[in-house]
Amino acid sequence: MPDLDALRTAYESQQANVVDWLTALPVDAWDRQSRLDGWTVRELGFHVTDMTGVVVTALAAGELRDKPQSIAAYTAKWSAAGPEIAQRDRDRAARLSPADVIANAAVARADLLAALDAEPGDPVVAGRRGPLRLSDLMVTRVNELIVHSLDLSASLAELPSVVLDRDAMGIAVRMLSGILVERSPGRSVEVRIPPYVAVQCVSGPRHTRGTPPNVVEMDAASWVELATGRTAWVDAVGDGRVRASGERSDLSPLLPVLA
């Protein structure tokens, strides 16, 4: 995974892309339903630009001596906390105008950068779901930005999409593929998401030479959508976004890796 400087730069870039998109929204678009059930565009826009508080709070609490979790272990706890997070951010966003959401995004970014500037290392910190490395916590923040950028774009498909920073997308792709590998280790299937990564997973006969017998390939955005449950495997294969060959290449039992 990239170092903290690279993570910071990717976060800044993608958060700026989201803010630019929100700033250009027509007023009547803010209260339309997003593609996420129960979330308006306003609520989702607030959530995605305000999710750095966990990093700021963790750094303020100081370094832990606990063994850090992997990203896969940490994110496995998100699903149970989903309703609580959603209600909290909906309640906060309900009181904010579009201008307030944009202004809050600037404050959230400034608070994050100040907290990172004050921390020269990569300590183990207290995330909301347990201890993990600061760099891994930042990886999850960049991933959330990419995932919700895609959500926002899909919610208002008639408008130009949120611009996706190349480095931020790479961080999200590698994080999600890393979770897949940790949860389903093996060498029988090769998953290719060019230009970012090719990983092997799924237990079974090990491939060592030549073309792997089981190959899955797709573009980065399609992988993010599959890995987070926005797209069903059968639909992505059916419309050609995913190219899968080999009798063991069906990844549907392993998806989504993050819900």
Side-chain angles (χ1 to χ4, degrees), residues 8 10 48 52 66 207 215 244:
R8 168 187 175 140
V48 71
T52 55
D66 305 57
H207 165 70
V215 177

Side-chain angles (χ1 to χ4, degrees), residues 72-94:
Y74 185 79
T75 56
K77 301 171 184 177
W78 279 0
S79 181
E84 172 195 342
I85 294 168
Q87 191 59 55
R88 180 193 68 210
D89 281 0
R90 287 178 193 143
D91 290 345
R92 293 176 66 194

Side-chain angles (χ1 to χ4, degrees), residues 28-197:
D28 63 356
W30 283 81
D31 289 317
R32 286 173 54 178
Q33 292 299 305
S34 78
R35 77 163 168 180
L36 295 187
D37 187 35
W39 290 80
T40 65
V41 170
R42 179 196 306 267
E43 292 161 349
L44 187 55
F46 170 76
H47 171 73
V48 71
T49 56
D50 184 69
M51 58 190 182
T52 55
V54 61
V55 181
V56 175
T57 300
L59 285 172
E63 183 173 3
L64 300 180
R65 296 188 178 276
D66 305 57
K67 180 179 179 180
Q69 301 171 86
S70 67
I71 290 177
Y74 185 79
T75 56
K77 301 171 184 177
W78 279 0
S79 181
E84 172 195 342
I85 294 168
Q87 191 59 55
R88 180 193 68 210
D89 281 0
R90 287 178 193 143
D91 290 345
R92 293 176 66 194
R95 301 188 294 271
L96 301 179
S97 69
D100 291 334
V101 173
I102 300 300
N104 183 76
V107 173
R109 181 171 61 242
D111 287 349
L112 173 67
L113 298 184
L116 291 174
D117 285 342
E119 175 50 65
D122 186 16
V124 178
V125 295
R128 290 194 178 114
R129 312 302 157 203
L132 76 171
R133 288 280 172 197
L134 173 60
S135 55
D136 286 343
L137 185 56
M138 279 298 297
V139 166
T140 70
R141 300 305 83 199
V142 174
N143 175 73
E144 286 275 284
L145 270 175
I146 288 293
V147 171
H148 292 317
S149 292
L150 293 169
D151 288 332
L152 288 167
S153 296
S155 300
L156 298 170
E158 74 277 13
L159 299 178
S161 299
V162 180
V163 175
L164 301 175
D165 178 79
R166 177 184 174 90
D167 292 335
M169 176 61 86
I171 290 165
V173 165
R174 293 184 188 98
M175 175 187 133
L176 296 167
S177 61
I179 294 173
L180 173 68
V181 169
E182 182 170 330
R183 292 183 183 164
S184 186
R187 296 294 186 91
S188 67
V189 180
E190 183 163 293
V191 181
R192 301 171 178 172
I193 306 112
Y196 297 110
V197 72

